[in-house]
Amino acid sequence: MSQAEALQVRNLFKVFGSAPKAAIDLYRNGHNKDEIFSKTGMMLGVCDASFSVREGEIFVVMGLSGSGKSTLVRMLNRLIAPSAGEIVVGGEDIATMDEKQLMAFRRKHISMVFQSFALMPHMNVLQNAAFGLELSGVPLSKREARAREALEQVGLGAYGSNYPNELSGGMQQRVGLARALANDPSILLMDEAFSALDPLIRTEMQDELVELQAKHRRTIVFISHDLDEAMRIGDRIAIMQGGLVVQVGTPDDILKNPANDYVRSFFRGVDVQHVYTVADIVQEGLLPVVVATDDPQTATNKLGSASHGYVVDADGRYTGTVSQASLRHLTNGAGLTLATLSNVEAVSQETKLSEVVRPVAHAPCPVPVTRGDGRLIGGVSREILLKAMCRENETHG
């Protein structure tokens, strides 16, 4: 397993029934889940799942109810015992550990946040956040220090002496998250962690998780049935269908190349503004390009019949946009800087489409697009942007 992989799942099965090996053999011989249930009465909860989770990423597992996602996440820390396969963390296979090894492994490597807050009502916030460390036998002063640090991370540093019934639902879930973070786990498992919250609070918690992740990179496996949530927080997404992991990829990868109709149906209705970047729609040659050292007449000649043109330096870096009108006001010998328009600003190719709607709408010409080093790569017009934003209708209409 490479250093970049925090967790690797290999050919993982969970069979609910008395003879799991027989069911797995039938599956490997070409029988599907329904046929196996009909023949044996055994249910395949997870079928031959294989994937890896990279260090420091939020890996979202999603699917409809009954797809196997919650069964899968509970096998990752052996709350549910796998029927076959490997779950490898740090070179160790969790699936083969005895109870003593498993307890030690959980304390060191994995914490879990559930949908229910599961806070102790008679304990204050600090005590709740430190509860997992208390169960692990960590001394009082040390566990409280770690719990305080975790509460600070989730924005509850001032609430240590409060009790759960004094907190909102979102704050209670933050305490649950702090309790998991206090253990400083290598991997954080979150099973539908925000789904019990009101929509507005849920969105706030998603944003806070992303913000927390930016400050403290953790490896997170997040279970969700909500595509918007998966798209908002996930670095990569695994789609489950009938116990199978049918596709793994970035939101952009899956949106552009869905593996089957089931995956395609998930992404029907996705707001592509929040998925696509300018790099996906930029076009070359929309406007002429002139060089900053050109004189006004040369620049005018290069524009030809075009109303506007982009200006670059000798290395191809964007320096501004000029128009036929702005060039006409220049005297001979004047630099093109004096003719650049103040109402046209370049956007990075990494910018989400949702963030370029306003500049594209207000610019008098296609908006210039640059790489990270400032080099001009093309432009985006209103027509191009509108077509991209209507992609869903063209694809699914």
Side-chain angles (χ1 to χ4, degrees):
M1 187 166 66
S2 68
Q3 282 188 330
E5 294 174 347
L7 166 70
Q8 194 168 78
V9 172
R10 301 171 183 154
N11 307 112
L12 193 64
F13 285 85
K14 178 58 187 179
V15 179
F16 295 100
S18 58
K21 186 178 183 304
I24 293 170
D25 288 342
L26 284 171
Y27 176 82
R28 287 174 171 160
N29 286 325
H31 295 275
N32 64 33
K33 179 178 178 179
D34 292 337
E35 291 170 342
I36 293 169
F37 180 73
S38 177
K39 286 176 178 289
T40 68
M42 289 183 285
M43 178 63 68
L44 270 70
V46 173
C47 308
D48 205 18
S50 294
F51 59 88
S52 61
V53 179
R54 299 166 186 160
E55 292 180 359
E57 78 170 336
I58 299 180
F59 186 88
V60 179
V61 181
M62 66 172 301
L64 299 177
S65 179
S67 63
K69 57 188 185 298
S70 289
T71 299
L72 175 64
V73 75
R74 282 167 166 76
M75 284 196 287
L76 299 184
N77 64 353
R78 284 272 303 276
L79 287 179
I80 294 177
S83 302
E86 298 175 295
I87 306 163
V88 181
V89 176
E92 297 183 89
D93 182 6
I94 306 170
T96 63
M97 290 181 178
D98 60 29
E99 197 61 33
K100 183 178 180 181
Q101 292 172 317
L102 186 58
M103 288 181 63
F105 172 84
R106 286 173 178 160
R107 288 171 182 168
K108 182 178 179 181
H109 288 290
I110 290 185
S111 288
M112 193 161 187
V113 182
F114 296 94
Q115 177 179 340
S116 60
F117 310 142
L119 302 183
M120 304 295 180
H122 62 285
M123 293 182 176
N124 64 28
V125 166
L126 180 64
Q127 291 167 335
N128 267 286
F131 185 62
L133 296 173
E134 181 180 355
L135 293 178
S136 298
V138 176
L140 177 63
S141 60
K142 186 175 181 180
R143 69 176 181 253
E144 287 192 345
R146 285 167 61 176
R148 285 193 185 93
E149 182 181 348
L151 288 169
E152 288 288 346
Q153 288 183 37
V154 300
L156 292 179
Y159 291 86
S161 60
N162 290 81
Y163 284 82
N165 65 357
E166 299 174 319
L167 306 180
S168 68
M171 294 171 77
Q172 290 182 42
Q173 189 60 298
R174 287 190 188 97
V175 178
L177 179 56
R179 181 174 55 202
L181 295 176
N183 289 331
D184 194 25
S186 305
I187 299 168
L188 182 61
L189 307 179
M190 303 183 73
D191 187 9
E192 302 271 10
F194 304 149
S195 62
L197 302 173
D198 292 336
L200 182 59
I201 299 173
R202 183 176 186 175
T203 300
E204 290 175 356
M205 286 298 296
Q206 292 163 3
D207 290 341
E208 288 192 18
L209 180 64
V210 172
E211 185 178 337
L212 184 65
Q213 183 72 348
K215 295 177 183 177
H216 308 276
R217 298 295 296 183
R218 294 182 181 275
T219 304
I220 300 174
V221 179
F222 194 105
I223 305 303
S224 179
H225 65 272
D226 186 325
L227 180 60
D228 288 338
E229 181 170 70
M231 303 280 279
R232 180 185 288 265
I233 68 172
D235 295 303
R236 288 189 302 148
I237 300 172
I239 307 288
M240 293 195 71
Q241 177 186 13
L244 297 166
V245 176
V246 294
Q247 188 166 7
V248 176
T250 65
D252 190 43
D253 291 338
I254 299 176
L255 179 62
K256 291 176 180 175
N257 301 293
N260 58 23
D261 288 341
Y262 174 82
V263 176
R264 190 173 291 108
S265 69
F266 256 111
F267 282 78
R268 185 174 292 119
V270 167
D271 186 351
V272 297
Q273 294 183 63
H274 301 291
V275 181
Y276 280 176
T277 65
V278 173
D280 294 310
I281 64 170
V282 62
Q283 289 190 1
E284 297 180 11
L286 289 180
L287 290 181
V289 177
V290 301
V291 182
T293 53
D294 287 342
D295 60 62
Q297 187 58 54
T298 300
T300 300
N301 293 340
K302 286 183 178 179
L303 259 59
S305 61
S307 60
H308 294 78
Y310 300 136
V311 185
V312 299
D313 65 15
D315 295 318
R317 288 187 290 267
Y318 173 79
T319 63
T321 296
V322 294
S323 68
Q324 293 278 7
S326 69
L327 289 171
R328 278 198 297 270
H329 293 297
L330 292 183
T331 59
N332 288 334
L336 296 188
T337 302
L338 297 175
T340 56
L341 306 177
S342 60
N343 59 345
V344 180
E345 293 187 10
V347 297
S348 165
Q349 64 178 343
E350 303 302 326
T351 307
K352 298 290 187 185
L353 297 194
S354 58
E355 298 173 29
V356 299
V357 173
R358 182 176 292 275
V360 169
H362 288 84
C365 63
V367 170
V369 179
T370 60
R371 295 191 180 93
D373 60 4
R375 292 176 185 269
L376 180 73
I377 59 174
V380 172
S381 67
R382 294 173 190 170
E383 292 76 14
I384 292 168
L385 180 60
L386 182 60
K387 183 177 179 181
M389 291 169 63
C390 292
R391 173 190 180 278
E392 174 203 335
N393 292 332
E394 295 174 359
T395 304
H396 302 301

